[in-house]
């Protein structure tokens, strides 16, 4: 049998009574995500004091978080009260593609943001030449373009599989692992690419990100004599590293775990964490811990109230 015309998404029937509560919770977090990240994008664009590489990439992260949640959350909200919970196979593959595209983009972006902080703190005299406007634009284009091709590999290979039996995936959205459970025939290449390629990229980028922050912290404690300067640098890096940990913890658990068939229940719970919770937490972390962002936001609010 070739690809089904429609795929059914959703959870088991024993939690249907929780759907209204889940709907309100997910909707509330989606609003926090959209309005919080939207506010960050607005102040980064409108406030000249934030026209620096760090806030340029922060604006990219805010845009990315809105897009990342929008790939899955609206359909998830619809499914809470839908009887069929159906999505076309083309729509399913499209959702899978943009999910992996934007997820990989965020991993790359977090690595670049760590490198930006490394250069700014450890190589301050070279920072203007290394992270100039042209370089930042080229890097931004690359970190959006490369993951698109990476996701395209998963999308094409998954769409070419033969599917038989049930067309119901036990997940909130279309992802490679749940679709492989429906496929008949040899799926070893797909599983290998998912576990090895995605795992290698995830571990590699996480290692580079962690290495940047480790070097920054070591440099600050060995070289910095000013307590206020040390506190400011550590505060900025702490907010960045919190976002990194929140993003990578569930991602690495899912895509490096080899027992794909037996871990789908855990995968569903963790997937909700990084598609719903993490994008909503990012603006809260940056606005609560970043003095410049808080100041810019307060200035814009005061201007609107006058």
């Amino acid at each position: 049998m070739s690809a089904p015309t429609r795929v059914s998404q959703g959870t088991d029937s024993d939690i249907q009574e929780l759907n209204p509560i889940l709907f309100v919770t997910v909707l509330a977090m989606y609003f926090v995500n959209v309005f919080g990240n939207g506010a960050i994008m607005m102040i980064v664009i409108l406030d000249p004091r934030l026209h620096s590489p760090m806030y340029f990439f922060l604006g990219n992260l805010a845009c990315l978080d809105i897009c990342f949640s929008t790939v899955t959350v609206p359909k998830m909200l619809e499914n809470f009260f839908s009887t069929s919970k159906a999505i076309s196979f083309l729509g399913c593959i499209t959702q899978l593609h943009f999910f992996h595209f934007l997820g990989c983009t965020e991993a790359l972006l977090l690595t670049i943001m760590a490198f930006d902080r490394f250069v700014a703190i450890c190589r301050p005299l070279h920072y203007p030449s290394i992270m100039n406007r042209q370089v930042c634009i080229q890097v931004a284009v690359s970190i959006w373009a490369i993951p698109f091709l990476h996701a395209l590999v998963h999308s094409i290979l998954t769409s070419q599989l033969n599917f038989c039996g049930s067309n119901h995936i036990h997940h909130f959205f279309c992802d490679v692992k749940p679709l492989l459970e429906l496929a008949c025939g040899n799926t070893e290449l797909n599983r290998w690419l998912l576990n090895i390629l995605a795992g290698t990229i995830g571990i590699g980028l996480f290692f580079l990100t962690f290495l940047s922050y480790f070097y920054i912290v070591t440099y600050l404690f060995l070289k910095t004599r000013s307590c206020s300067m040390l506190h400011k640098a550590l505060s900025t890096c702490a907010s960045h590293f919190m976002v990194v940990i929140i993003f990578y913890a569930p991602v690495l658990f899912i895509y490096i775990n080899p027992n794909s068939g037996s871990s789908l229940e855990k995968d569903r719970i963790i997937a909700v964490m990084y598609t719903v919770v993490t994008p909503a937490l990012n603006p809260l972390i940056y606005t609560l811990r970043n003095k410049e962002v808080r100041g810019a936001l307060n200035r814009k609010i005061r201007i609107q109230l006058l």
Side-chain angles (χ1 to χ4, degrees):
M1 178 182 172
S2 60
T5 56
R6 300 184 75 79
V7 176
S8 177
Q9 302 172 324
T11 57
D12 300 323
S13 57
D14 57 353
I15 64 168
Q16 292 299 310
E17 63 274 8
L18 298 177
N19 279 356
I21 298 174
L22 292 173
F23 177 86
V24 172
T25 303
V26 172
L27 182 63
M29 301 204 76
Y30 184 62
F31 276 134
V32 171
N33 170 17
V34 172
F35 287 109
N37 284 301
I40 289 177
M41 289 174 60
M42 180 190 70
I43 60 176
V44 167
I45 293 170
L46 298 179
D47 196 317
R49 302 176 194 181
L50 300 184
H51 290 178
S52 66
M54 183 177 83
Y55 294 106
F56 170 73
F57 291 121
L58 178 58
N60 273 264
L61 180 64
C63 175
L64 183 59
D65 279 335
I66 293 174
C67 296
F68 194 31
S69 281
T70 303
V71 169
T72 57
V73 172
K75 184 61 181 175
M76 187 190 304
L77 292 171
E78 177 191 335
N79 287 345
F80 281 132
F81 296 106
S82 171
T83 54
S84 65
K85 306 183 189 301
I87 183 173
S88 68
F89 185 74
L90 177 60
C92 186
I93 294 297
T94 303
Q95 190 180 57
L96 178 155
H97 172 79
F98 280 95
F99 175 76
H100 281 268
F101 160 44
L102 296 171
C104 186
T105 302
E106 182 153 353
L108 271 172
L109 183 55
L110 292 174
T111 304
I112 295 299
M113 292 175 73
F115 177 75
D116 171 74
R117 290 300 83 207
F118 163 74
V119 178
I121 294 171
C122 303
R123 301 288 185 271
L125 297 179
H126 298 92
Y127 184 70
S129 59
I130 294 176
M131 301 301 292
N132 60 61
R133 180 179 176 83
Q134 183 179 1
V135 168
C136 289
I137 293 174
Q138 290 174 346
V139 169
V141 170
S142 299
I143 61 179
W144 284 87
I146 294 172
F148 186 88
L149 299 176
H150 164 75
L152 199 61
V153 173
H154 289 297
S155 305
I156 292 174
L157 287 177
T158 304
S159 66
Q160 297 303 309
L161 292 172
N162 291 320
F163 294 88
C164 51
S166 172
N167 66 344
H168 179 80
I169 59 172
H170 296 280
H171 212 307
F172 295 103
F173 56 87
C174 291
D175 197 2
V176 177
K177 289 174 77 172
L179 283 173
L180 291 181
E181 297 302 313
L182 305 183
C184 48
N186 191 350
T187 61
E188 287 184 9
L189 176 61
N190 302 74
R191 296 184 188 277
W192 182 86
L193 280 173
L194 185 65
N195 292 323
I196 303 301
L197 186 59
T200 302
I201 292 173
I203 292 176
L205 292 177
F206 177 75
F207 176 75
L208 291 175
T209 305
F210 177 80
L211 193 64
S212 296
Y213 288 120
F214 177 78
Y215 195 94
I216 289 170
V217 172
T218 304
Y219 176 87
L220 287 172
F221 279 107
L222 293 178
K223 301 289 185 179
T224 305
R225 298 291 182 264
S226 170
C227 291
S228 59
M229 187 176 175
L230 177 64
H231 179 267
K232 181 181 178 181
L234 287 176
S235 179
T236 302
C237 291
S239 61
H240 285 212
F241 196 65
M242 283 174 65
V243 171
V244 170
I245 293 299
I246 292 171
F247 174 78
Y248 272 107
V251 170
L252 293 177
F253 180 88
I254 287 181
Y255 293 106
I256 299 176
N257 183 6
N259 299 318
S260 58
S262 61
S263 62
L264 285 177
E265 186 65 32
K266 292 179 181 178
D267 288 0
R268 286 192 306 178
I269 298 170
I270 297 172
V272 172
M273 287 293 295
Y274 66 81
T275 57
V276 180
V277 179
T278 301
L281 288 179
N282 286 354
L284 295 177
I285 291 171
Y286 280 111
T287 53
L288 290 175
R289 296 192 58 88
N290 191 295
K291 185 178 178 180
E292 286 79 9
V293 173
R294 288 201 312 269
L297 190 58
N298 289 333
R299 286 192 296 272
K300 292 301 175 185
I301 292 173
R302 286 198 299 268
I303 291 172
Q304 293 299 319
L305 294 177
L306 292 176

